[in-house]
Amino acid sequence: MFTDSYMLTALIAGTGIALACGLVGYFLVLRAQVFTGDALSHVAFTGALAALAFGIDLRIGLFASCVLIAVVFGTLGRRGRADDVVIGNVFAWVLGLGVFFMTLYTTDQSGSSSSGGNQTVNVLFGSILGISSGQAAVAVVIGLAVSVALVLMARPLLFATLDEAVAAARGVPVRFLGYAFLVLIGVTAGEASQAVGSMLLLGLLAAPAGTALLLTDRPFLGLALSAGLAVLDIWVGLTVSYFVPNTPTSFWIMAVAAATYAAAVAYSRISKAHPARSSTSAAAS
């Protein structure tokens, strides 16, 4: 498997993307902003369609739209954190724009550019095995940049997430952190859409983070665990798709993420149902 250039490129790109998704996703779940991630995953598709309609690079549309709408969420929300009403209204407007740009693109192009149609399908459902070596390098750079930025702001962001009022009173720039985090979500959504697709992006953001929160209540351990699980989902999903050819890679990645989360839910419920047994085992170890 490691001698296959397409698979090796996918593993490299997927690792960078998964690191960013795991770290961003942990705070996304902790801050109850999962709906934001869902909205931005659809914004990525609309941005891609807009770029194709105006004849520019698809990636410019992806990143510009995701970051712009993320900032709009923060501006309309409170302390840089949008509520569900704001997200729902902007989300509906963005979906309408997506229909408009799709109509504009198909009408102007008249189906003459099959590559553009393939690109929009890839943004919807993902094409991690179709990523070039150049795109993989960009994915790794962006993934590492997002990861470093989030690690640097993790402690104050955690403080602002758990007790916003006290954090603001202690001088923590709560609003700035909210905007910065939304921008990181937008960048991550724009990059990850090329790998797993905008339709499945939310799974890679939410599932590893949800699993980590079920397994530990220690925030920094959970942050590391979320990133590790996201990378594991990518690697196992790619491995399964290699040995089960002619099946969608994104499906296996999401299937592994869902199975891991289901196992964590089962473990959590068993632990709560038998607390004495769990504490006895911990004491013995």
Side-chain angles (χ1 to χ4, degrees):
M1 184 178 77
F2 294 103
T3 60
D4 187 323
S5 60
Y6 292 101
M7 184 62 66
L8 191 58
T9 302
L11 287 168
I12 293 171
T15 300
I17 291 170
L19 276 174
C21 285
L23 294 173
V24 169
Y26 184 81
F27 279 103
L28 198 68
V29 174
L30 199 63
R31 291 168 64 87
Q33 289 183 286
V34 175
F35 191 25
T36 304
D38 184 32
L40 290 177
S41 67
H42 291 77
V43 168
F45 182 62
T46 298
L49 283 171
L52 289 173
F54 290 108
I56 61 178
D57 192 319
L58 180 144
R59 286 171 295 182
I60 296 177
L62 279 174
F63 287 108
S65 61
C66 287
V67 172
L68 176 62
I69 296 301
V71 172
V72 169
F73 283 160
T75 303
L76 297 178
R78 182 178 59 86
R79 292 184 182 274
R81 187 192 298 198
D83 57 33
D84 288 348
V85 175
V86 169
I87 297 172
N89 279 283
V90 177
F91 187 15
W93 173 67
V94 167
L95 288 179
L97 279 179
V99 174
F100 170 75
F101 287 127
M102 179 181 290
T103 304
L104 184 65
Y105 174 69
T106 55
T107 301
D108 289 348
Q109 298 297 321
S110 300
S112 60
S113 176
S114 60
S115 61
N118 291 334
Q119 285 179 306
T120 55
V121 172
N122 289 342
V123 173
L124 261 180
F125 302 108
S127 180
I128 193 169
L129 292 176
I131 292 178
S132 66
S133 57
Q135 289 175 317
V138 172
V140 170
V141 170
I142 291 176
L144 289 177
V146 170
S147 300
V148 170
L150 195 63
V151 168
L152 290 176
M153 60 187 284
R155 188 175 293 276
L157 183 61
L158 179 65
F159 189 10
T161 298
L162 298 179
D163 200 330
E164 185 178 281
V166 174
R170 294 286 297 272
V172 175
V174 173
R175 190 172 185 84
F176 172 77
L177 288 172
Y179 274 113
F181 180 62
L182 285 169
V183 170
L184 291 180
I185 300 172
V187 173
T188 304
E191 184 56 44
S193 295
Q194 300 176 73
V196 296
S198 60
M199 298 295 289
L200 301 176
L201 170 62
L202 185 62
L204 196 58
L205 285 170
T211 304
L213 285 168
L214 285 170
L215 296 177
T216 180
D217 56 1
R218 297 172 60 186
F220 292 104
L221 176 60
L223 193 62
L225 187 58
S226 179
L229 286 170
V231 173
L232 181 67
D233 293 339
I234 290 283
W235 278 64
V236 174
L238 283 169
T239 302
V240 174
S241 70
Y242 180 81
F243 290 104
V244 185
N246 301 320
T247 56
T249 306
S250 297
F251 162 76
W252 289 116
I253 293 172
M254 291 301 104
V256 173
T260 306
Y261 178 74
V265 170
Y267 171 78
S268 177
R269 291 184 176 179
I270 291 173
S271 298
K272 290 178 180 179
H274 304 283
R277 184 181 302 177
S278 300
S279 59
T280 302
S281 301
S285 61

